[in-house]
Amino acid sequence: MNSEHGGQPYIAAHTSSSYSINNPYSHDGPEEMVELQSPRPYRSPASHDDQGSDFDFQFQQDQQSARPAIVPYRPGLGHNPPDYTSSPGLFPTPRTSYGPESFVNSPFASRSASPTLYQHSQFESSASLGRIPLVSKPASPAFAKDWIHSGSIARLSDRDDIDIWKGWKRVVFMFTPFLTFANTAIYLFYLGLRIYCIISAQNAANITFAGAWVFVAIEVAVMVPSLMHNCWTMMAAKKRGRPKLRLTGNDCPTVDVFITCCGEDDDVVMDTVRGAVDQDYPIESFRVIVLDDGRSASLEEAVNNLAITYPNLHYMAREKIPGKPHHFKAGNLNYGLDQTHTLEGGAGQFMAALDADMIPEQQWLRAVLPHLLVDPKMALACPPQLFYNTPASDPLAQSLDFFVHVIEPIKDALGVAWCTGSGYVVRREALDQIGNFPLGSLAEDVATSTLMLGKGWKTAYIHEPLQFGTVPEDYGGHLKQRTRWAIGTVDTAFKLKFCLWGDAVRKMSFAQRFSGFLYATLSLYTLLLTASIFAIPIILLWGKQLVAYANQDQLHWLIWTCFATTLANRLCEFALFIPAGYHTGQRGSRYQLWMSPYIALCIVRSFMLPSWLGGQTQAFKPTGSLGSALNERDAKLRKNMFVRLRVILFNFMALFHFAFVYVTLIAVVISTYRCFKVEKGFKDIVVCLLTHAFWPPMTFLFLCSSLWTPVSYAIDPPSMPDREELLNRDPKTGVAHPTSKSKKIAFGGQAAWFELELTVGTVLTVLVFVYSFFF
């Protein structure tokens, strides 16, 4: 792959000679070698070939002044770059001078990049990463000492997800592309037949079946997201070959680990901090820096007290001047990147980031970093965000399991893995090239990985359970989190021209462009989906025939194709949802429906309405700083049901959901009454019911159960124990990790109820199919 780096690979090591390293992605053992050369001298971003991006969207400009030179500031030193002498610090001190810093306008009006001190390194010993062959012998998780070789990368398995899912599930999942293709083809045939029958019926009766046309339009609108996902999941046919790697020994690259926080509870942040400093990683090779945008005195004190035990721990809080844009999380991260140059030893060779509530597993850095070390063009590697406080049945679909276990691995196989916002490790050289984290976006993680792909870098998704955090514990926090994600995705898509053209995405492949376009389009599609959903009760009250046909043969074919479509869809869902869990996928399907009005409303307010008509500027509210006024998941402190209903129905506008369900059910009752009153024979009554409200698999039932989610949550919210009960805490060190039980989502009554509804719909479809042969 051509690059701005002259095709010369970069590795986080400083040596004067070329050397080779076994490629752990290869199945050919030591025969396949990757040549790694000395890193090139640092060049400022302005010297790259991509200088002068044509991305013309200008957001709020950062007003900070430029530094005159690439010099790490140290107290007591002047501005002239001194020749540092070696000193025993956390990172070795560089013996070099630096030239003038250049600036380049980034696609997101980001501030200028902070150059990384690539010249210093921990790879000075003869036992460097490149000099010792990689371990190919299978290893146990205990890391038995008889197979460890200092300074090597161990290949533990051919698949990084070997511990997550295996056996018969993988065999079934192999059929997903074929089942998806068959499901799509059958549905398109069914849709074409529906349209043909309406036209035939109109020609035969010389009337217009307006209700049938509206019903077909609604079916299409509701199915479009699934069809778009089907096109995407058919790409699962491309085999994913990401191995499970471990960096062993003590010759490890230097890493700055940032923990971003803003008003979260000190206990939550400190659990993340303790997990970060307790990494199985040489203490002299990594720093943990708490970037506190809330400037909490109590948090600062707690961090400083812990730093007595862990000298590689630091606390930082930037000054936020009123009236001056601070760019939220992206600005906080960029501040941290700048400040690492002021610390002893300068900036690390890699940067890692954790959200305030994400507790990393002890092997986190050793698991993620090898994927960056073996590929000099790998800019970023990221594990999934997993959670330990998800309630049974996950009623609000907060777990993200379908995205992290199904969608992201498929995207990774196609070379378009997204940064998921926490737990990632990124190459500082790649950050420098895009001008650090882009400003002016609420989805700085997606924007960062997209810009890196646009520059020709690679991104990786490491499908291992390496971090566990918390989902919002209240309904309002969940809404603000998800609508913020949706707005950030759409905003980023507009600025990047939906990843279809422009210099910012110039080096993207077709799959990468299609992925960026798809997910931005799905967010915008909530506008049409919301309008289609609320048209259901209107056409049912209208009383018009929803399924039109010219003769009995056409009705038979419509019923048969509907039967085939329903069964094919259920088989496809079963295979596709397997990596995340079947019930997880079902929750995700409902989530798309009941959340669509919220997302649509936020998109309209953010991008379409002027302020005088209710438009809102994009605002960031950290989920962790939102107090739960209802305390709905605390069995002792939660407000009573009437208060919960009032707040969720009116304050959080679930009254729309409530009205939809009741109006739809009333419309179904009226439609049923009409059929029994007008028609006389059993056959005529059945056909009337089928063609007016109960067309299998009873779409109105699925829609009502989905839209009822906020109301059912208000009436009967799940109860969760205190957070401490979900953790195993070391009494000596205070380090806490989630229990095995808390890492899994328990099966609850709601999941059973959802499956009962789908089963009823499927059984009805089968019965109608059988009965169709008798009339």
Side-chain angles (χ1 to χ4, degrees), residues 67 89 137 180 184 191 260 532 601:
R67 294 190 308 274
K137 176 182 176 182
T180 304
T184 305
L191 182 63
T260 55
S532 301
L601 179 62

Side-chain angles (χ1 to χ4, degrees), residues 257 259 270-283 286-290 303 306-307 309-314 354 360 362 364-365 733 735:
V257 178
I259 299 176
M270 290 308 299
D271 280 342
T272 300
V273 173
R274 293 188 191 96
V277 296
D278 190 50
Q279 285 295 295
D280 177 20
Y281 203 80
I283 191 172
F286 80 107
R287 273 190 298 243
V288 176
I289 303 172
V290 178
V303 171
L306 188 61
T309 304
Y310 298 95
N312 61 334
L313 176 61
H314 303 267
L354 290 166
Q362 202 170 32
W364 165 52
L365 288 177
T733 63
V735 176

Side-chain angles (χ1 to χ4, degrees), residues 387-699:
F387 306 97
Y388 63 89
N389 71 331
T390 308
S393 290
D394 191 14
L396 301 183
Q398 296 176 284
S399 66
L400 300 176
D401 278 3
F402 181 73
F403 180 78
V404 302
H405 294 311
V406 179
I407 297 300
E408 273 293 278
I410 295 175
K411 291 169 63 181
D412 184 44
L414 299 172
V416 62
W418 271 357
C419 173
T420 55
S422 178
Y424 59 89
V425 180
V426 62
R427 194 183 296 272
R428 289 290 293 261
E429 182 183 1
L431 272 177
D432 286 339
Q433 189 177 352
I434 66 170
N436 287 349
F437 290 94
L439 308 177
S441 172
L442 295 181
E444 83 293 330
D445 45 5
V446 175
T448 297
S449 48
T450 302
L451 290 175
M452 287 177 173
L453 293 172
K455 293 292 185 181
W457 291 95
K458 300 178 184 178
T459 57
Y461 180 70
I462 314 304
H463 198 185
E464 292 188 55
L466 298 172
Q467 60 174 344
F468 290 87
T470 58
V471 298
E473 296 181 348
D474 63 296
Y475 187 77
H478 172 71
L479 292 185
K480 291 180 181 180
Q481 180 194 66
R482 296 306 174 89
T483 52
R484 185 179 72 243
W485 291 355
I487 292 172
T489 300
V490 174
D491 181 47
T492 301
F494 277 122
K495 294 175 181 177
L496 290 176
K497 302 172 184 175
F498 288 85
C499 296
L500 296 179
W501 74 92
D503 188 66
V505 298
R506 180 164 55 91
K507 294 191 175 182
M508 276 190 173
S509 65
F510 170 78
Q512 292 168 345
R513 293 172 191 260
F514 177 66
S515 175
F517 173 79
L518 172 66
Y519 284 95
T521 304
L522 286 177
S523 294
L524 286 174
Y525 186 77
T526 56
L527 298 171
L528 180 58
L529 181 59
T530 301
S532 301
I533 289 174
F534 284 93
I536 289 284
I538 296 175
I539 65 169
L540 288 177
L541 287 173
W542 193 7
K544 298 293 184 180
Q545 186 174 336
L546 303 184
V547 179
Y549 54 93
N551 50 57
Q552 290 294 316
D553 287 340
Q554 288 189 359
L555 177 59
H556 287 156
W557 275 103
L558 287 172
I559 292 174
W560 297 341
T561 54
C562 180
F563 166 79
T565 300
T566 302
L567 293 191
N569 186 58
R570 297 226 64 188
L571 286 174
C572 183
E573 286 179 343
F574 179 77
L576 178 62
F577 296 161
I578 271 184
Y582 174 72
H583 296 291
T584 296
Q586 294 297 347
R587 289 192 297 269
S589 300
R590 286 173 165 79
Y591 167 85
Q592 297 294 332
L593 293 172
W594 73 262
M595 272 296 297
S596 61
Y598 290 113
I599 295 176
L601 179 62
C602 288
I603 289 176
V604 170
R605 286 180 173 176
S606 298
F607 301 104
M608 300 179 184
L609 289 182
S611 58
W612 58 274
L613 279 180
Q616 295 178 344
T617 57
Q618 297 178 20
F620 178 84
K621 186 70 174 177
T623 302
S625 67
L626 296 169
S628 177
L630 297 177
N631 293 311
E632 62 258 34
R633 297 187 186 179
D634 190 323
K636 297 179 180 179
L637 300 178
R638 67 167 59 117
K639 301 294 184 181
N640 63 64
M641 185 181 68
F642 296 103
V643 174
R644 297 196 303 266
L645 277 170
R646 175 177 57 81
V647 172
I648 290 180
L649 289 179
F650 295 96
N651 293 40
F652 296 119
M653 296 179 292
L655 189 61
F656 292 104
H657 300 72
F658 183 89
F660 170 86
V661 172
Y662 271 88
V663 173
T664 301
L665 292 179
I666 291 173
V668 170
V669 171
I670 294 175
S671 178
T672 303
Y673 172 77
R674 287 171 179 162
C675 288
F676 278 95
K677 185 174 180 60
V678 174
E679 305 296 339
K680 301 303 180 183
F682 178 78
K683 171 192 168 184
D684 294 334
I685 292 176
V686 170
V687 172
C688 178
L689 290 174
L690 289 177
T691 57
H692 283 76
F694 290 87
W695 185 251
M698 293 195 303
T699 304

Side-chain angles (χ1 to χ4, degrees), residues 11 18 109 272 278 301 343 673 681 686 725:
I11 187 171
S18 299
T272 300
D278 190 50
E301 181 181 3
L343 299 176
Y673 172 77
V686 170
E725 297 180 33

Side-chain angles (χ1 to χ4, degrees), residues 359-372:
I359 302 176
E361 298 289 275
Q362 202 170 32
Q363 70 273 22
W364 165 52
L365 288 177
R366 288 192 181 274
V368 178
L369 268 165
H371 297 272
L372 293 159

Side-chain angles (χ1 to χ4, degrees), residues 90 213 237 250 262 294 377 396 530 542 676 728:
L90 175 67
W213 284 115
N250 292 322
C262 184
K377 290 299 294 178
L396 301 183
T530 301
W542 193 7
F676 278 95
N728 284 326

